[in-house]
Amino acid sequence: MIMANDLKFSQSGPHLGNQFTEDSALQEYLSSFADCSEFYRDLENFGSRVVSDILEHHNLCERFPPVFEEFDAWGSKIDKITTHSSWNFMHKVSAEEQLIHLGYTCKKNRRLHQFSKLYLFSSSSGLYICPLAMTEGAAFLLRSLLQKSEDPELQEAFSRVTSSDPNQFWTSGQWMTEKRGGSDVSGGSQTIAEHLSEDTYKLYGYKWFTSATTANMAFTLARVDGKLSLFFVKVKDEQGRLNNIRIVRLKEKLGTKQLPTAEMVLEGTVAKLVSPVGKGVSLIANLVNMTRLYNSIGAVSAMRRITALARDYSHRRFAFNKYVKDHPLHQASLSELEVITRGCLIFVLYTAHLLEKSEDSQAKDWEVKTLRVLTSVIKLYTAKMAIKVVSEGIECIGGVAYMENSGIPGILRDAQVYSIWEGTTNVLSLDVQRALIKNSDPSASYLKSALESLGCDFLSSNLEKILESFKNPYAGRKCAWALGSLFIEALLRWHSHKTGTQQDSEIANYWAKLNPSDLVCENPSLYYNLALDVGKKGPRGFGDYDSLKTPRPKF
C-alpha cells in the first residue's frame, strides 16, 4: 500500500505569476524615482506575457540552439547559421514591445520604463537580451555619431536599430575579441584595415568571439596604419550574401547556448570608418558602457526569476511535517536572496534615472561623473551577486532544481556569463580606478555629492576609506565591491526615508550587515605567496617551469 501511494504522489513544481504585479520591490522603487503610473498598465501586460507566450518560446530557444551548416548538399560553402523560429519570435517581440525604441523617444521616465521592461523580459527572452544589449549600444553610439555627421548609411542604421516595426528592426553585433586578447582590446587586436576610397575599407582578421552572429550589422575594431580604429559593418550585401566573412564554427559554451556565438574570419569585409584614425577604443566605449548596463539588468532579472521560483515552491513543498515556507531557516535563506535582489534592482533603476538625465542634458556634473564610475561598479557587482543568488536559489528548491528537465539549471549556466562578458571583475575594477583618476578629482567630490543627494552624507567617511584603499594595487577589486555595497546601502536608506516604513528601514539595515562597505586588505606578500603557491622551497610548478622537473601534461 505504501508503494502504491508513493507511485501516485507527484510533487507540484513552482509556478510563475505576473512578474510585474507580483514584484512589490519594482513597483515601490519606481514610485520613489518618479511618477511612473502612466506606464504601469504596459508593465502589467508585459509581466503577464513573459510568463505565458514569451516563456514558451524561451524554453524552445533553450531546447533548439542554433545550428551551423558550412557546406550545402552539393559541396558549396554556404556558412549558414540557422536559428529556431522561437529566436525569430523574440526578434518580433523586441520590436513590437519597443524594448530598444522606448529609450529613444522623448517621453519622460522613458529609461525607467525601458529598463523595467528589459528586467521583466530578460529571464524569459531565450537570451535575446544579448543581441538587444549590443543593439542598444549601437543605437547609443550611432546617435552620438550622427550629431557630427549626416551620413545616410548611419542614419538608416539608427532608424533600423530603434524601429518598433519587426520588419524594419535590425540587431547589431560587436566584434572586438581576437585570439591574442579578450579584455585587452588595445593590445590584442590584430585585424588590418586596407583603404579603398574615402571612408571605405576592407578588413582582414580573425574574430575569436562574435556574439549574436546572425545580427544585421556590427561595430568592430581594426588597425589603420597600426592605429586601432572603429568601423561599421553590414553583415550581408544587397543579395543576402555574407560580406566577405567566413564562419569558422559556433562556440560550444557552458551556457547561453541559445545565442549564436561564432568564430569568424574577415576576408576583405567591406566596412565604413566611423572614428578618427586611432580613436577606436575611446569611441566604442560609448557602446560598451550601455552593454554593461544591460548586463546588470540581465543579472538582476536572473536573481528575481530564481527567487520567484524558490518562493512559490516553498508554498508547495511539504517536508518535516510542514510546508518549507514555515521553516525558520528557509525563511532566513529566502530573505537574504530577496534583500540582495532588491538592493541590486534599486541600483539598476538608479543608473536608468541618471542615464536619462544625462541624455537630456539635465544632469549635473556630479551626476554625469557618478554614472561613469557606477556603470563599471554595477556591472561587476550584479554579475557576481547573480551567480551567488541563483546558486543559493537552486539549493533552496533542492535536488529537482539540479535536473535539466526542470528548466532551472540553465539559469545558473547563463548567469555565469555575466561576470565574464564585457569585462571580468578584475578588469572592471581597474576600469573603476581609471575612471576615478580620469575625473581629476582625488577626493571624488562628485560621489560625495551623490551620497548627499540620497540623504546619506554620513557614509562619506566610508567612501574616503575606499578611495584611499584604491592606491593599493592589490585592493582594487575589494574597493570596487565596497563602492557597490556603499551605494546600494545609500539607495535603500534613501528609499526608506521616502516611504517611512519600518520594513524598508530594516531592509536597509539588513543590507548593511550582509554587505558591509568597510575594507580589510591583507599583506601584499601573502597575496603573492598564496596566488603562486610559494612555499618554503620556492614556487611550485607553473607555466613551463617545474622545480621538481616532473612532466606537466596539457589539460
Side-chain angles (χ1 to χ4, degrees):
M1 181 63 70
I2 294 176
M3 289 183 63
N5 287 337
D6 284 347
L7 288 172
K8 290 180 181 178
F9 175 76
S10 180
Q11 173 65 52
S12 174
H15 293 210
L16 287 171
N18 187 302
Q19 293 298 281
F20 175 67
T21 59
E22 293 191 359
D23 193 334
S24 60
L26 176 58
Q27 297 171 53
E28 292 169 10
Y29 294 160
L30 283 172
S31 297
S32 282
F33 283 106
D35 179 7
C36 302
S37 56
E38 67 176 272
F39 55 78
Y40 271 21
R41 178 58 61 87
D42 182 48
L43 294 180
E44 184 176 342
N45 292 338
F46 198 51
S48 177
R49 284 200 73 187
V50 297
V51 294
S52 53
D53 63 318
I54 295 176
L55 184 59
E56 291 176 9
H57 286 280
H58 164 87
N59 293 331
L60 290 171
C61 286
E62 176 83 22
R63 185 177 176 187
F64 299 103
V67 176
F68 173 51
E69 187 179 2
E70 187 173 2
F71 298 96
D72 67 12
W74 312 105
S76 297
K77 188 168 176 60
I78 55 175
D79 285 358
K80 181 180 180 182
I81 297 174
T82 302
T83 54
H84 191 264
S85 59
S86 289
W87 182 260
N88 303 328
F89 173 82
M90 295 301 181
H91 179 93
K92 180 173 179 289
V93 167
S94 299
E96 291 177 343
E97 292 287 350
Q98 302 184 356
L99 298 182
I100 301 295
H101 178 78
L102 273 172
Y104 297 87
T105 63
C106 296
K107 294 180 180 178
K108 191 175 181 181
N109 302 318
R110 63 186 180 277
R111 287 297 187 181
L112 286 170
H113 186 184
Q114 180 198 29
F115 276 38
S116 297
K117 291 194 78 170
L118 290 164
Y119 161 76
L120 296 173
F121 180 61
S122 180
S123 290
S124 295
S125 72
L127 250 294
Y128 211 80
I129 190 70
C130 178
L132 289 185
M134 290 178 285
T135 304
E136 173 76 59
F140 196 80
L141 175 58
L142 283 164
R143 182 176 62 182
S144 174
L145 293 172
L146 289 170
Q147 291 174 353
K148 303 175 183 178
S149 167
E150 296 183 355
D151 185 289
E153 192 172 16
L154 298 184
Q155 287 178 332
E156 183 202 11
F158 179 72
S159 174
R160 293 275 197 168
V161 295
T162 58
S163 177
S164 58
D165 180 350
N167 296 318
Q168 296 295 315
F169 180 53
W170 279 2
T171 54
S172 178
Q174 63 183 59
W175 306 341
M176 292 193 290
T177 306
E178 300 190 14
K179 284 187 176 183
R180 289 177 180 267
S183 297
D184 184 11
V185 175
S186 297
S189 298
Q190 301 297 312
T191 298
I192 301 300
E194 180 183 286
H195 188 237
L196 287 179
S197 62
E198 298 181 343
D199 58 2
T200 304
Y201 287 72
K202 282 189 174 182
L203 308 185
Y204 298 87
Y206 198 122
K207 296 297 181 178
W208 186 242
F209 267 94
T210 60
S211 292
T213 313
T214 53
N216 306 87
M217 53 169 273
F219 282 99
T220 190
L221 294 169
R223 295 191 181 277
V224 178
D225 298 326
K227 299 175 182 178
L228 208 53
S229 308
L230 183 61
F231 292 85
F232 167 79
V233 177
K234 285 186 177 179
V235 176
K236 294 183 178 180
D237 61 22
E238 298 299 327
Q239 287 72 45
R241 298 171 303 197
L242 287 173
N243 178 8
N244 299 323
I245 297 168
R246 175 164 57 88
I247 308 296
V248 177
R249 60 173 173 170
L250 287 177
K251 292 289 194 180
E252 297 180 20
K253 301 165 290 180
L254 168 68
T256 68
K257 297 176 185 293
Q258 317 92 312
L259 173 70
T261 306
E263 292 174 34
M264 63 168 59
V265 181
L266 308 183
E267 301 178 319
T269 302
V270 179
K272 177 190 289 289
L273 177 66
V274 294
S275 75
V277 172
K279 300 295 183 181
V281 174
S282 60
L283 194 59
I284 206 170
N286 291 305
L287 186 158
V288 171
N289 284 333
M290 291 304 294
T291 56
R292 286 175 174 171
L293 291 178
Y294 266 62
N295 197 94
S296 303
I297 295 168
V300 182
S301 179
M303 296 184 221
R304 173 52 71 212
R305 178 56 52 88
I306 198 68
T307 55
L309 291 170
R311 181 181 294 115
D312 182 88
Y313 190 64
S314 72
H315 287 260
R316 301 175 187 279
R317 177 65 172 163
F318 194 85
F320 302 105
N321 301 314
K322 53 186 172 184
Y323 284 102
V324 172
K325 69 179 178 65
D326 296 321
H327 288 278
L329 273 180
H330 195 76
Q331 292 173 7
S333 296
L334 284 179
S335 70
E336 183 173 333
L337 301 187
E338 178 63 27
V339 78
I340 293 173
T341 303
R342 285 177 176 239
C344 292
L345 173 59
I346 199 170
F347 202 3
V348 164
L349 295 176
Y350 180 59
T351 58
H353 175 67
L354 291 182
L355 174 63
E356 182 172 327
K357 292 187 73 175
S358 177
E359 290 177 307
D360 293 347
S361 300
Q362 295 179 354
K364 298 175 182 176
D365 181 63
W366 66 262
E367 290 175 308
V368 174
K369 291 178 178 178
T370 296
L371 177 61
R372 170 64 187 91
V373 171
L374 292 187
T375 295
S376 295
V377 172
I378 193 174
K379 191 278 183 185
L380 71 85
Y381 200 96
T382 55
K384 298 298 284 186
M385 280 300 198
I387 298 168
K388 174 182 178 178
V389 169
V390 173
S391 180
E392 186 69 25
I394 288 176
E395 185 178 336
C396 284
I397 297 171
V400 70
Y402 195 70
M403 300 297 106
E404 284 291 349
N405 59 355
S406 71
I408 297 174
I411 303 175
L412 181 58
R413 284 198 305 272
D414 292 346
Q416 191 67 52
V417 81
Y418 293 127
S419 65
I420 299 173
W421 189 58
E422 296 299 22
T424 62
T425 308
N426 283 350
V427 167
L428 286 160
S429 298
L430 292 172
D431 190 64
V432 173
Q433 197 168 27
R434 280 192 297 271
L436 289 169
I437 294 171
K438 189 175 180 179
N439 284 330
S440 302
D441 183 355
S443 65
S445 59
Y446 51 93
L447 293 179
K448 293 178 182 177
S449 295
L451 291 177
E452 290 172 7
S453 74
L454 298 171
C456 292
D457 49 317
F458 68 93
L459 292 175
S460 292
S461 58
N462 290 40
L463 175 63
E464 289 170 3
K465 292 177 184 177
I466 294 169
L467 296 174
E468 180 65 25
S469 295
F470 259 117
K471 296 176 182 177
N472 179 349
Y474 289 92
R477 183 179 177 120
K478 287 188 175 183
C479 292
W481 186 264
L483 199 54
S485 295
L486 182 75
F487 265 87
I488 291 175
E489 179 184 346
L491 285 163
L492 290 173
R493 293 196 184 283
W494 166 77
H495 175 70
S496 72
H497 293 153
K498 276 184 165 288
T499 64
T501 68
Q502 181 179 347
Q503 177 168 301
D504 285 327
S505 178
E506 289 176 348
I507 288 172
N509 292 333
Y510 188 6
W511 175 271
K513 293 173 184 176
L514 278 176
N515 304 284
S517 57
D518 55 341
L519 285 161
V520 177
C521 295
E522 305 300 335
N523 186 328
S525 64
L526 179 62
Y527 284 132
Y528 178 86
N529 291 340
L530 289 175
L532 299 184
D533 193 16
V534 178
K536 292 181 180 179
K537 296 182 179 180
R540 308 299 172 96
F542 60 88
D544 293 325
Y545 167 78
D546 180 13
S547 59
L548 302 178
K549 308 298 182 183
T550 55
R552 305 191 72 242
K554 182 179 179 181
F555 176 68

